Amino acid sequence: MQVDEKQVNLTKQLMNYFEARGVNRRDFVKLLGVAGGGLMLTPLIAACGSGDNSGDQSATAPSSGNSSTGGEATATVSGGSTAGGATATSGDNSGGTGATPKILVAVSEQDISNLDPHIGHDYSIATAQKSVYDSLVFYRGNPPELVNLLSKSYESNDDASEWVFVLDERAKFHDNTSVKASDVVYSFKRMLRKNKGVAWMFANIMTEDSVTAVDEHTVKLALTIPFAPLPLILPWLFVVNESLVKQQEVNGDDGEAWLLDHEAGSGPFTVKRWRVGDSYEFEAVPDYWWGWPEEGRLAGFIWKISRESSSKRLMLLNGDAQIGYSLSSEDTNALESQESLTVLDELSLTVFAVDLNNQIGPTSDINVRKALSYAMDYDAILEILSGHAVLLKGPLPQGLGDFVNPNLDIYRYDIDKAKATLAAADPQYANGGFELEYVYVTGLQWEEQIGLILLDKLSQLNITVKMSPLVWPDMVARAKDQNTAPAMFAVQSGTDYADPDNFLWQAYHSSQAGFWSAAAHYMNPGFDKVLEDARATADHDQRVKLYYQAQEILVSDAPVIWGHNPKSRLVLSKKVGSLD
């Protein structure tokens, strides 16, 4: 496939822009293809197991739902619906060297709570979405190149306020109907109408009226403001089969109930089994319209749910899983010595915080929130993580370079200051005597341990902590309403793109309240205006100034307890290829 030079140049410009601000190339690749939306399992190059296949087990999916497939699968993981860059031909498009395709198993504690491409958005959801849907463009390679997928070519006017995309006529949905401009238009409009998931990236630069079909294979975007980095966020707009979705509508829901666990895409995989709380199985499309790599492909992959870190460790050791997420530091350290496994250990752009309910109960009081921030033992967090993290110095990770305000009066452990600050709270809270609920992901030992730190330290303020482990979908549901959102909500959020807007808008802009990354329900019109102004200008120095101001407002309001910036400690079988 020929890569459009304009796309390559734009991608390199974007990469150089972020690199100049402290984001290295490896991190740029991770956040475009991995950190912001889960592993991209689509290429899975050489998954037929070329080379020595001795000892491989059968590649058929286990009928019981157990993930003990054990088959060899060498995968290259990158962004977008990458079929390895292969061009579809009129001949056999199934890829491979003749070896039998295998099943790859990824084990995680986190369910795929909503497959709807315009509703759900977290790392497990995005892994599935990228596998069953295609986008106009996607990132591939290291250094990354922006490569056409559903789009065959595109161009913009001089000020980047109008964009025209020409679609690839070969593109087919899984029901074998062609992907048309009307499907792209419908997908944009549905995403904006729902105003959930990834809509926050697009809502400030376009409306439903901004997108039109010029003809069957041409789409025009007339943005409300000039936005040169538009291609940077387009990999997050997944295109759905308009006709199929409309067939599934119930009471005008735009097919939302059906798309929760079904798909209407054109990507390289389809949904085979959907067992909430156990496993989610995806099957490869043998004749995927964009083609598979010459080296081969997978037969499919399984997203296996295991709440306990020790269980994940055993699956990786036994070859029952090839990718492991969110293992405890103890288990990850133990696996580093295994010759068959690789542990990634690089500082990410992910941030961990404890969101505090800013609207209801004791944490609606700013002095209570500040007291909690002073009562957190931050050094103890690093001990829990065995040093595989750095403490946040405010709302942004240090990898964002000069966007990070170095002059913030950050919170650090000081129990005397915590007591004095609590004493300044509303009289009903000033002496403690109340209970706060801490909600965290079931099976995430380190999140539980952070809760135990709070339980211990807050007891010195006469505050009790109720520990509530929940599966992730239940946490997401609790966060939606300020009346059900807990006082303290453990949340780790990755990156969709390397910009302060990624971290600040989705977590703190009032429009996002109730989204899982905005479980604090923080609402400050003055802060909103600063973010909106930062979005509206392309002047870098002005954006830095505005984001400095935004960080100062947040630290003053203490809507969350900022914790740490973790290292990526993903565990991979050495039979799985590089993330680059």
Side-chain angles (χ1 to χ4, degrees):
M1 177 178 179
Q2 295 298 313
V3 179
D4 189 288
E5 284 301 315
K6 180 178 180 180
Q7 297 179 32
V8 174
N9 291 334
L10 174 60
T11 307
K12 289 179 178 177
Q13 289 171 23
L14 290 167
M15 182 176 61
N16 291 336
Y17 174 83
F18 292 125
E19 202 171 15
R21 286 153 181 81
V23 181
N24 63 39
R25 293 189 175 213
R26 179 174 293 273
D27 275 342
F28 188 78
V29 174
K30 296 292 191 301
L31 61 94
L32 290 176
V34 182
L39 281 176
M40 200 47 241
L41 295 172
T42 49
L44 304 170
I45 296 175
C48 293
S50 57
D52 182 11
N53 290 323
S54 60
D56 282 355
Q57 299 180 26
S58 169
T60 58
S63 59
S64 65
N66 295 328
S67 57
S68 56
T69 56
E72 181 170 331
T74 302
T76 297
V77 184
S78 57
S81 295
T82 70
T87 302
T89 65
S90 59
D92 180 10
N93 188 28
S94 61
T97 59
T100 302
K102 305 298 192 298
I103 301 290
L104 180 140
V105 178
V107 60
S108 168
E109 78 295 333
Q110 185 163 299
D111 281 274
I112 301 172
S113 60
N114 194 328
L115 188 57
D116 190 324
H118 308 140
I119 301 292
H121 187 58
D122 58 38
Y123 87 88
S124 55
I125 290 172
T127 296
Q129 289 171 337
K130 290 179 180 181
S131 299
V132 299
Y133 291 102
D134 288 327
S135 50
L136 291 171
V137 294
F138 71 94
Y139 285 93
R140 194 192 75 196
N142 183 19
E145 294 179 346
L146 195 62
V147 177
N148 281 316
L149 187 54
L150 291 175
S151 174
K152 185 168 61 175
S153 64
Y154 68 85
E155 61 183 7
S156 69
N157 61 358
D158 289 340
D159 73 350
S161 64
E162 293 186 359
W163 298 76
V164 176
F165 294 83
V166 178
L167 303 184
D168 193 323
E169 297 90 345
R170 300 173 303 152
K172 298 283 186 183
F173 288 114
H174 297 147
D175 65 0
N176 207 37
T177 59
S178 296
V179 178
K180 298 180 181 179
S182 57
D183 298 298
V184 178
V185 171
Y186 175 78
S187 299
F188 267 108
K189 290 188 174 184
R190 184 178 185 274
M191 175 266 295
L192 291 165
R193 187 162 59 247
K194 293 297 181 183
N195 195 29
K196 297 179 180 178
V198 301
W200 64 273
M201 299 185 215
F202 298 87
N204 204 50
I205 62 171
M206 63 186 300
T207 67
E208 288 189 53
D209 294 331
S210 296
V211 55
T212 55
V214 177
D215 57 40
E216 195 170 78
H217 291 102
T218 308
V219 176
K220 181 179 180 180
L221 297 181
L223 305 182
T224 55
I225 59 173
F227 192 66
L230 176 68
L232 181 64
I233 62 175
L234 282 178
W236 292 107
L237 188 279
F238 299 112
V239 175
V240 300
N241 184 331
E242 177 185 11
S243 175
L244 179 56
V245 173
K246 286 184 173 180
Q247 290 173 32
Q248 307 301 328
E249 284 188 3
V250 177
N251 298 324
D253 72 343
D254 283 327
E256 186 173 334
W258 186 78
L259 283 174
L260 182 138
D261 53 7
H262 294 78
E263 55 87 10
S266 60
F269 292 89
T270 59
V271 176
K272 184 175 182 179
R273 289 190 185 90
W274 197 267
R275 295 189 176 108
V276 176
D278 180 85
S279 59
Y280 305 83
E281 186 172 353
F282 300 84
E283 187 172 40
V285 178
D287 57 350
Y288 174 47
W289 71 270
W290 208 61
W292 292 99
E294 292 181 1
E295 297 89 341
R297 62 171 176 83
L298 286 185
F301 71 93
I302 296 171
W303 187 267
K304 176 65 178 173
I305 303 303
S306 180
R307 310 293 183 197
E308 300 299 327
S309 177
S310 57
S311 298
K312 299 176 195 175
R313 174 181 171 182
L314 287 175
M315 289 180 67
L316 290 159
L317 284 172
N318 294 335
D320 294 335
Q322 291 77 46
I323 302 175
Y325 290 88
S326 302
L327 278 75
S328 69
S329 292
E330 180 182 56
D331 285 325
T332 304
N333 291 342
L335 294 177
E336 283 184 309
S337 62
Q338 296 296 314
E339 293 185 1
S340 62
L341 299 171
T342 297
V343 176
L344 300 183
D345 193 22
E346 298 173 343
L347 194 62
S348 70
L349 290 176
T350 297
V351 297
F352 172 82
V354 178
D355 281 16
L356 306 174
N357 189 329
N358 283 225
Q359 303 301 319
I360 301 295
T363 50
S364 64
D365 187 304
I366 187 172
N367 286 309
V368 172
R369 297 197 301 272
K370 288 184 175 182
L372 299 183
S373 297
Y374 285 124
M376 170 64 83
D377 188 340
Y378 298 91
D379 290 338
I381 294 177
L382 295 183
E383 291 177 13
I384 287 170
L385 299 171
S386 301
H388 296 289
V390 296
L391 293 178
L392 289 171
K393 298 179 179 180
L396 298 178
Q398 295 301 302
L400 291 188
D402 63 352
F403 282 119
V404 179
N405 188 333
N407 303 312
L408 297 175
D409 186 13
I410 59 174
Y411 300 93
R412 286 294 179 256
Y413 177 64
D414 187 329
I415 199 64
D416 291 331
K417 188 175 287 189
K419 291 177 179 178
T421 305
L422 183 63
D426 186 280
Q428 64 180 317
Y429 305 131
N431 297 313
F434 53 84
E435 180 182 82
L436 299 178
E437 183 185 17
Y438 174 81
V439 171
Y440 62 98
V441 176
T442 298
L444 274 191
Q445 184 179 354
W446 61 270
E447 281 194 356
E448 178 182 12
Q449 291 172 321
I450 289 174
L452 293 174
I453 292 173
L454 287 168
L455 185 150
D456 175 48
K457 298 302 179 182
L458 295 187
S459 68
Q460 299 179 49
L461 303 181
N462 192 30
I463 299 172
T464 58
V465 174
K466 176 185 176 182
M467 302 286 289
S468 296
L470 293 178
V471 295
W472 179 242
D474 290 345
M475 288 183 65
V476 172
R478 286 280 304 272
K480 288 181 180 179
D481 189 294
Q482 64 185 33
N483 294 300
T484 59
M488 300 187 290
F489 183 97
V491 61
Q492 183 159 283
S493 181
T495 46
D496 293 317
Y497 57 101
D499 191 87
D501 183 75
N502 172 89
F503 298 90
L504 302 182
W505 189 282
Q506 69 170 332
Y508 306 109
H509 192 276
S510 297
S511 66
Q512 302 305 298
F515 185 49
W516 59 264
S517 64
H521 289 267
Y522 175 69
M523 298 180 188
N524 182 333
F527 174 81
D528 292 347
K529 181 64 165 54
V530 174
L531 290 194
E532 290 157 9
D533 290 346
R535 273 193 168 188
T537 180
D539 181 87
H540 176 71
D541 291 339
Q542 180 64 14
R543 294 184 79 229
V544 168
K545 181 179 178 181
L546 288 167
Y547 284 126
Y548 271 32
Q549 183 181 351
Q551 292 167 74
E552 290 165 1
I553 293 172
L554 286 175
V555 171
S556 177
D557 287 349
V560 310
I561 302 172
W562 290 289
H564 62 277
N565 177 199
K567 290 185 177 181
S568 172
R569 305 215 77 206
L570 189 71
V571 182
L572 298 170
S573 165
K574 289 184 178 177
K575 297 175 181 178
V576 177
S578 167
L579 285 177
D580 297 334

